[in-house]
């Protein structure tokens, strides 16, 4: 959705602080995210992306930008060393004071180069695109293998700590701030019945069986950019949640959308189905991209991670519904409930396909 929102005075001052080329022609709202505001800025020389960070969610916005600066430079240097094309990589546009962001009127603004001739998919059943997406994520993990995770700050503590998310959910249930719990008892029970999912990845990280890496942490399909002619993977965008994490977070979170036949906001739950072919294509690409940068202990849990990450976000949407929609942007009153239901239906779907998913994993990963 592209909406014309050029308020000359609002944006001219902000954009005037950044090192961009040319005169600004227009600023348009862009993107469909639940957290930040994204704008496409066109000048007579080049397009750019301007974003205002949600500082309620990202309280440590300086840490967020610092993480992105470190990771994108590391990625760039590694690509150069390996002779890979850097044209389609993301980088921050500096301000005239040589900073990576601008803090103005309580808002944090940052700019990126515009990735040319590229696009995102909200959903697709094109297996070549899904394999490319999987490859792109695997390659991202492989590129950052060896990047010292202690250099990166944890911008949202315990973001994918499913055990802590579960405790937060129980808090929301106890408080029932928006008086909605009694009408959604079945959804709540579905979550409560699956408490055992919460510790599967987290405990293995805590005991050191699964390594902490630098991961993306928000790998839904619309954060993958593809070349709009060749459909080759260009890069991952939406880098705000880059933090120390597990590759299982990224793989599982990607599968919940890549292997779903319906969008997050689908009201007809009969359309929410798990597609094994999509899963297979993404997995195949992922294993190719990550190469030997994955440990056996991680690989063993790839199929399980889809269930856990889908469960986690379903629980987060339901929690926000109980809290009265204080975290995710909503455009309809029951939107968080609708989102929770698609995700929890996906969990049920994944549970039905677990054995087949494991079999497919063995087909492509031989070292288990
Ligand atoms: P959000 O998910 O919070 O809306 P994103 O960073 O994912 O924010 O950006 C929203 C949309 O803007 C993307 O889906 C993509 O279409 C477009 N976009 C974002 N960054 C770029 C970029 N650097 N180059 C080209 N398009 C971009
Ligand atoms: C949010 O910003 P966006 O829409 O890409 C959320 C993710 C969720 C996702 C669900 C910082 O991502 O964790 O998986 O919505 N980001 C944050 O659609 O909470
Ligand atoms: Mg996004």
């Amino acid at each position: 959705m592209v909406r014309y929102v050029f308020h000359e005075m609002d944006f001219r001052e902000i954009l005037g602080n950044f090192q961009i080329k040319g005169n600004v022609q227009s600023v348009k709202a862009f993107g469909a995210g639940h957290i930040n505001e994204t704008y496409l800025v066109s000048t007579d020389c080049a397009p750019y992306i301007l974003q205002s960070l949600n500082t309620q969610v990202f309280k440590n916005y300086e840490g967020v930008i610092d993480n992105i600066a470190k990771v994108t430079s590391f990625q760039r240097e590694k690509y150069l060393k390996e002779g890979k094309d850097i044209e389609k990589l993301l980088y921050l546009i500096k301000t005239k004071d040589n900073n990576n962001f601008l803090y103005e009127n309580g808002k944090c603004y940052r700019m990126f180069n515009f990735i040319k001739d590229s696009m995102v998919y909200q959903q697709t059943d094109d297996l070549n695109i899904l394999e490319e997406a999987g490859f792109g994520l695997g390659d991202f993990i492989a590129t950052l293998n060896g990047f010292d995770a202690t250099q990166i700050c944890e911008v949202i503590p315990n973001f994918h700590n499913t055990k802590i998310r579960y405790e937060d959910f129980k808090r929301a249930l106890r408080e029932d701030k928006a008086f909605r719990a009694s009408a959604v008892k079945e959804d709540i029970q579905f979550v409560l019945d699956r408490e055992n999912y919460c510790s599967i990845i987290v405990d293995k990280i805590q005991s050191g069986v699964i390594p902490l890496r630098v991961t993306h942490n928000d790998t839904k399909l619309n954060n993958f950019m593809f070349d709009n002619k060749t459909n080759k993977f260009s890069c991952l965008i939406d880098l705000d949640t880059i933090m120390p994490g597990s590759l299982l977070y990224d793989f599982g979170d990607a599968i919940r959308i890549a292997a779903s036949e319906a969008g997050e906001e689908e009201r007809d739950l009969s359309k929410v189905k798990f597609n094994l072919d999509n899963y297979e294509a993404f997995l195949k690409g992922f294993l190719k991209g990550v190469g030997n940068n994955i440990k056996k202990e991680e690989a063993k849990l790839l199929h399980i991670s889809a269930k856990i990450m889908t469960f986690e976000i379903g629980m987060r949407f339901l929690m926000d519904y109980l809290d009265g929609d204080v975290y995710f942007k909503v455009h309809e009153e029951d939107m968080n409930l609708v989102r929770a239901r698609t995700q929890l239906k996906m969990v049920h779907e994944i549970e039905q396909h677990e054995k087949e998913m494991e079999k497919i994993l063995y087909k492509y990963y031989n070292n288990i």
Side-chain angles (χ1 to χ4, degrees):
M1 182 187 49
V2 176
R3 189 159 40 93
Y4 187 70
V5 291
F6 186 43
H7 306 303
E8 221 171 294
M9 291 319 292
D10 295 358
F11 284 105
R12 188 169 291 171
E13 218 180 296
I14 292 155
L15 293 167
N17 285 284
F18 285 91
Q19 299 183 27
I20 55 175
K21 292 184 190 134
N23 297 310
V24 176
Q25 308 280 305
S26 65
V27 181
K28 291 172 185 166
F30 216 53
H34 301 328
I35 310 289
N36 296 327
E37 303 292 338
T38 302
Y39 304 94
L40 167 67
V41 175
S42 303
T43 78
D44 46 12
C45 289
Y48 295 93
I49 290 288
L50 169 73
Q51 285 178 319
S52 114
L53 263 191
N54 180 329
T55 47
Q56 278 302 103
V57 168
F58 296 107
K59 295 194 172 68
N60 178 11
Y61 53 87
E62 285 181 284
V64 170
I65 310 276
D66 193 49
N67 283 353
I68 296 178
K70 283 180 181 152
V71 165
T72 49
S73 335
F74 183 88
Q75 212 181 9
R76 219 173 173 72
E77 277 167 34
K78 199 151 179 194
Y79 265 49
L80 284 170
K81 255 190 229 147
E82 292 172 358
K84 288 191 193 155
D85 187 6
I86 57 163
E87 203 201 323
K88 296 228 159 158
L89 285 185
L90 215 55
Y91 60 87
L92 285 159
I93 307 286
K94 295 242 180 219
T95 65
K96 288 179 178 161
D97 300 337
N98 232 19
N99 286 320
N100 286 318
F101 68 94
L102 172 77
Y103 192 77
E104 184 109 339
N105 299 328
K107 287 193 167 185
C108 171
Y109 294 95
R110 45 95 193 281
M111 292 192 78
F112 287 109
N113 57 317
F114 185 85
I115 310 292
K116 290 197 191 107
D117 306 319
S118 291
M119 62 177 294
V120 299
Y121 292 90
Q122 298 301 330
Q123 209 81 44
T124 183
D125 53 10
D126 182 324
L127 300 182
N128 291 323
I129 295 173
L130 291 166
E131 191 177 331
E132 264 301 305
F135 180 85
L137 179 61
D139 185 63
F140 180 83
I141 302 276
T143 302
L144 295 181
N145 196 21
F147 185 102
D148 178 7
T150 62
Q151 279 191 46
I152 295 289
C153 67
E154 196 181 4
V155 284
I156 303 181
N158 298 312
F159 191 63
H160 283 313
N161 186 325
T162 321
K163 274 164 111 174
I164 291 184
R165 292 287 188 188
Y166 185 80
E167 290 309 314
D168 289 348
F169 175 78
K170 285 205 303 196
R171 190 267 316 140
L173 188 56
R174 267 196 313 275
E175 293 178 0
D176 193 16
K177 282 189 190 142
F179 309 106
R180 287 168 164 176
S182 63
V184 295
K185 280 192 186 133
E186 271 183 40
D187 306 277
I188 292 170
Q189 198 54 47
F190 184 94
V191 171
L192 296 176
D193 288 345
R194 285 159 180 78
E195 180 181 0
N196 62 317
Y197 290 178
C198 302
S199 54
I200 299 175
I201 299 178
V202 173
D203 284 358
K204 290 206 164 59
I205 294 176
Q206 268 158 11
S207 64
V209 173
I210 291 176
L212 261 194
R213 306 163 168 275
V214 177
T215 50
H216 183 285
N217 298 304
D218 184 6
T219 46
K220 54 184 181 185
L221 190 63
N222 67 9
N223 286 330
F224 289 72
M225 295 214 81
F226 300 88
D227 184 289
N228 60 17
K229 289 191 194 78
T230 63
N231 269 332
K232 288 274 160 214
F233 172 77
S234 302
C235 65
L236 277 169
I237 55 169
D238 222 341
L239 307 179
D240 301 320
T241 46
I242 280 185
M243 272 182 278
S246 162
L247 68 69
L248 294 168
Y249 297 157
D250 283 357
F251 182 82
D253 196 15
I255 290 296
R256 85 181 168 87
I257 299 286
S260 169
E261 292 190 357
E264 239 176 23
E265 297 180 358
E266 176 59 61
R267 285 178 180 273
D268 179 355
L269 289 182
S270 68
K271 292 187 182 157
V272 180
K273 293 214 167 99
F274 185 79
N275 186 315
L276 264 183
D277 294 335
N278 288 13
Y279 161 78
E280 179 163 354
F282 192 94
L283 173 73
K284 187 174 163 194
F286 179 79
L287 289 174
K288 234 186 264 169
V290 80
N292 56 13
N293 297 288
I294 185 169
K295 281 181 71 176
K296 196 198 272 187
E297 290 74 13
E298 295 170 304
K300 266 185 191 169
L301 287 175
L302 282 172
H303 62 304
I304 302 282
S305 70
K307 178 176 80 179
I308 298 167
M309 300 314 291
T310 311
F311 173 72
E312 184 187 281
I313 188 64
M315 176 167 69
R316 286 176 64 200
F317 283 139
L318 190 55
M319 176 179 125
D320 201 34
Y321 183 69
L322 296 175
D323 276 341
D325 310 316
V326 292
Y327 186 91
F328 297 106
K329 285 192 239 167
V330 287
H331 44 87
E332 280 169 71
E333 214 200 318
D334 62 347
M335 198 37 75
N336 275 320
L337 179 60
V338 171
R339 290 169 180 153
R341 285 184 170 157
T342 60
Q343 298 312 292
L344 298 178
K345 171 77 193 293
M346 266 302 274
V347 172
H348 174 73
E349 278 282 305
I350 298 173
E351 288 169 347
Q352 309 306 307
H353 289 89
E354 225 166 275
K355 283 267 160 302
E356 292 147 289
M357 289 167 75
E358 188 175 22
K359 226 165 133 193
I360 294 170
L361 174 61
Y362 278 94
K363 178 170 154 193
Y364 293 98
Y365 187 78
N366 307 316
N367 301 330
I368 294 179

